[in-house]
Amino acid sequence: MYKIAKDLIKYEYPDKLVLMNGRFPRPLIFYKGFDLINNALKYPNEITNKKLIDLLKDYKILLDGDIDEPIPLTHQTFNINGKSELGLYLLVTQKCNLGCTYCLGDNESYINSSTMSFEIIKKTIDNAVNSMLPNGTINFIYFGGEPLLNWKLIKRAVVYIEDELNNSNKIKFKHNITSNLTYLPSDFIDFAAKYQISVLVDIDGNCSTHNRMRPFRNGQPSYDKIVRNVKILKQNNIYFEIRSTITSENVGQINEISKHHKSLEPSACAFPTLIPVDSEGTILDSKMYPDPKVYYSQLSQAIKNNEFTLSNICPSNVLANRVLRGEFVKFDCGMILGNTIAVTHEGDVYPCIYFIGQPDFCMGNVLTNKNPLSQDNCIVFYNRFNSVLNVDNIEECKDCAIRYICGGGCSVRLLSLQRDNEETKKARDYFFNITCAGSWSSIETMVEYFENKNIMEKQE
C-alpha cells in the first residue's frame, strides 16, 4: 500500500510538471506524461510502472502507507548558554526627516526628537558581548528614525567596539546602517571604508513613485538626494543594498523596480511587504495593502528576469537558502530564539523593532536591569511565546506543504494583531495571504531558476 506525501508541493505548467515533498524539498520535474503522473498522484496504489514507482519513492513523493511521515528536525534551537549570532538594532535617534506613508513607527513611542546617549549605547554593547558564545557574531544595525542624524554617536560606538573593547571571546563584529540616505556626512565614506560599514537604503520605485511614498516631512521630494548619495557609495566601493517596501502604491511595479535597482548597482535588493500595524499596535489604512496575487506575479517575474541572482533578491533568497542547505524551520525568524534585539534611545529592550512602544513585549532596560540581552532573560520571552509562534500550531499554516520552509511568516501578525474586531482580522488575513504569496512564489521561481541554470550550464 502506498500514499502520497502529505506535504506535496505541485506546480503545473503547459510544458512541465514539478513535484516536491515539502519535508524533503528536492524538485522532480516531468516534461511529458502529465496525465499519467496526475493519475498516479490521485490513485497511488494503481501505479503499475515500476520505474515511476521507484522514481516517486526516491523523491519521497510516494511513501509506504503504513509508515508515519517523519517531521523534519529543525535547525532552530534555543541555546540557553548564549547566542552564536545576534542582530542588534540600536535606535541611535528616534527622529526622522522623512514622512513615509507606511512608517512602522509613526507614533509617540517611536518617532520623536530623542537621541541615544553614549552611556546607553556602551552599556548595550557590553551587554550584547556578554550574552554571546565564543566566536559568535554580532551584527550592529544602527537604526532610527534616521540614524545618520546621530552620526557622531555611531562613530563613537564603532570606535569603541573595534578599537577599545576587550574582545577576549573573539566575537566577530559587523556594522550596518539602515538609512534613508537623504543626508551623507562629509566624513562618512572614509569612516565606512575603514570599518567596513554596510548600508541598507530604501528606494521604493522610480522618481515619482518614490516621492509619493517617501517624501520629506515638509512634503518635498527625496528621490534625487538619495540617488545622488547612492552613487557616491558606489563610486567609493561602499557595500550597499536597496530595499523597496511594497504597498498598493508600487506592487504592480516590482519587476520595473528591480530593473531600476539594478541600474544603481547595489549588491542585493529586497521587496518586503507592508507591515499592516505600527510598533504600538495601531492598524494601518487597509488601502495601502498590496494585492497578494499581484505580488506573487510581480516577484516571480522579477526573479525570472535575472536582474539579480537568486541569492541576492529577498525574500526569495531566504527560502532558497533553506532548501539548498537542507534547513527546516519552525519559526520564520530568529527573534524567538533571542537572535534579534532592539534597544531604544532610553535603553528599553524589545525582541524586535516592530514591538517598540508595546509594554507587554518590553524585556527590560540596559540601565536598570541585569543584562536584559542575556539568554537567561530571552528565555522568558521564548517560554511565553514559542508555542504561539511555532508553525505547527498556527491554524492557517499547520496543513501547508511549505510550512517547514517558510516558518509561518512574521511574528508581528501573531502577537500584535490579536484584537477581535473587523479591522484587525482584515489586517491579519492580508498579512497571512501576502506572506503565503511571497513564499509560494519564491519556491516556484527557485525551482525554475535552478532548472534554467542547469540547462545553460549543459549548453555551455
Side-chain angles (χ1 to χ4, degrees):
M1 295 289 291
Y2 294 116
K3 63 183 178 184
I4 298 300
K6 179 181 178 182
D7 293 337
L8 177 67
I9 299 170
K10 182 180 179 182
Y11 296 105
E12 294 186 78
Y13 311 91
D15 59 343
K16 65 185 172 185
L17 174 65
V18 179
L19 303 177
M20 187 162 63
N21 184 339
R23 302 187 186 193
F24 301 92
R26 191 163 55 112
L28 175 60
I29 305 175
F30 295 93
Y31 296 97
K32 58 183 180 180
F34 305 144
D35 290 341
L36 174 65
I37 305 305
N38 281 317
N39 195 61
L41 296 176
K42 187 179 295 185
Y43 307 107
N45 290 300
E46 296 181 10
I47 308 174
T48 57
N49 187 315
K50 187 177 184 304
K51 287 185 177 180
L52 179 58
I53 291 174
D54 291 342
L55 183 63
L56 293 175
K57 289 182 70 174
D58 182 45
Y59 279 78
K60 293 188 168 46
I61 292 166
L62 186 67
L63 307 170
D64 291 324
D66 57 348
I67 299 177
D68 291 334
E69 295 185 58
I71 296 176
L73 294 176
T74 176
H75 79 288
Q76 294 175 317
T77 56
F78 189 96
N79 191 335
I80 189 62
N81 297 316
K83 310 173 195 292
S84 58
E85 58 181 286
L86 173 63
L88 181 57
Y89 289 80
L90 297 163
L91 275 68
V92 296
T93 179
Q94 290 182 226
K95 60 182 177 180
C96 187
N97 56 350
L98 290 190
C100 302
T101 57
Y102 52 80
C103 182
L104 71 89
D106 193 14
N107 52 61
E108 293 181 0
S109 298
Y110 204 108
I111 297 298
N112 51 60
S113 60
S114 304
T115 57
M116 184 179 281
S117 68
F118 182 71
E119 177 189 17
I120 287 177
I121 202 168
K122 180 179 181 297
K123 186 70 173 178
T124 301
I125 292 165
D126 292 341
N127 281 347
V129 170
N130 291 333
S131 75
M132 301 298 294
L133 294 170
N135 300 306
T137 300
I138 303 177
N139 184 19
F140 293 98
I141 305 159
Y142 304 99
F143 207 76
E146 172 44 51
L148 290 181
L149 297 178
N150 200 4
W151 174 233
K152 183 178 179 180
L153 179 65
I154 295 175
K155 289 193 296 181
R156 192 173 176 187
V158 172
V159 169
Y160 172 70
I161 294 165
E162 298 291 346
D163 299 347
E164 301 177 32
L165 186 67
N166 177 21
N167 189 10
S168 58
N169 282 332
K170 298 182 180 179
I171 307 301
K172 303 176 187 69
F173 303 125
K174 297 180 180 179
H175 302 279
N176 178 276
I177 295 177
T178 299
S179 171
N180 61 41
L181 219 62
T182 56
Y183 162 68
L184 200 62
S186 59
D187 59 344
F188 179 85
I189 295 299
D190 290 341
F191 192 88
K194 179 178 179 180
Y195 291 104
Q196 295 183 302
I197 298 174
S198 62
V199 178
L200 175 61
V201 58
D202 293 85
I203 299 178
D204 282 351
N206 59 27
C207 181
S208 59
T209 300
H210 175 92
N211 284 333
R212 285 196 301 272
M213 295 177 67
R214 298 178 65 84
F216 281 105
R217 285 196 170 273
N218 62 7
Q220 293 299 305
S222 63
Y223 176 88
D224 288 341
K225 289 186 177 181
I226 295 170
V227 170
R228 178 195 65 200
N229 289 331
V230 163
K231 291 179 178 179
I232 292 174
L233 296 186
K234 184 64 183 178
Q235 291 165 2
N236 289 277
N237 298 313
I238 303 299
Y239 182 95
F240 71 97
E241 299 179 1
I242 299 179
R243 176 178 63 187
S244 287
T245 298
I246 302 304
T247 71
S248 58
E249 179 78 29
N250 62 353
V251 66
Q253 304 171 27
I254 294 176
N255 189 32
E256 291 303 314
I257 293 171
S258 70
K259 296 177 181 179
H260 180 46
H261 285 182
K262 180 69 172 180
S263 70
L264 296 171
E265 302 182 85
S267 295
C269 73
F271 299 104
T273 54
L274 173 76
I275 304 290
V277 57
D278 74 10
S279 64
E280 286 187 346
T282 302
I283 308 298
L284 301 186
D285 188 346
S286 62
K287 292 179 181 178
M288 291 193 290
Y289 298 174
D291 186 317
K293 292 181 180 179
V294 178
Y295 181 64
Y296 184 112
S297 173
Q298 284 282 314
L299 182 63
S300 298
Q301 193 58 52
I303 298 170
K304 291 174 183 177
N305 283 349
N306 204 25
E307 301 293 344
F308 294 87
T309 61
L310 185 61
S311 61
N312 291 319
I313 185 166
C314 186
S316 303
N317 59 344
V318 176
L319 276 69
N321 286 336
R322 288 172 183 168
V323 171
L324 292 173
R325 292 194 296 255
E327 294 179 347
F328 295 93
V329 298
K330 295 295 183 75
F331 311 105
D332 178 55
C333 72
M335 179 199 74
I336 189 67
L337 307 176
N339 295 341
T340 303
I341 296 288
V343 182
T344 70
H345 74 281
E346 294 178 321
D348 290 331
V349 176
Y350 291 85
C352 174
I353 58 172
Y354 293 109
F355 297 128
I356 291 172
Q358 299 183 62
D360 196 40
F361 300 116
C362 185
M363 301 168 63
N365 185 282
V366 297
L367 296 181
T368 59
N369 297 99
K370 181 182 178 181
N371 197 358
L373 280 70
S374 70
Q375 287 296 77
D376 285 338
N377 190 51
C378 290
I379 200 171
V380 176
F381 185 86
Y382 176 82
N383 288 336
R384 185 179 173 194
F385 293 113
N386 85 85
S387 179
V388 175
L389 300 179
N390 188 313
V391 71
D392 283 330
N393 300 328
I394 301 173
E395 188 64 30
E396 294 90 337
C397 302
K398 64 182 183 180
D399 295 321
C400 179
I402 63 171
R403 64 189 179 281
Y404 298 127
I405 304 172
C406 165
C410 180
S411 302
V412 170
R413 64 185 178 178
L414 296 168
L415 299 184
S416 288
L417 297 172
Q418 294 299 316
R419 293 184 295 278
D420 187 18
N421 57 60
E422 288 304 313
E423 184 184 41
T424 302
K425 290 177 182 177
K426 186 173 183 179
R428 182 183 168 101
D429 287 345
Y430 147 72
F431 215 173
F432 271 103
N433 290 335
I434 202 78
T435 299
C436 288
S439 296
W440 279 95
S441 172
S442 296
I443 293 173
E444 178 182 18
T445 49
M446 176 199 70
V447 172
E448 185 166 344
Y449 178 89
F450 285 107
E451 178 192 17
N452 290 339
K453 188 172 184 293
N454 290 336
I455 291 173
M456 291 176 64
E457 290 174 350
K458 289 178 181 179
Q459 290 175 345
E460 292 174 358

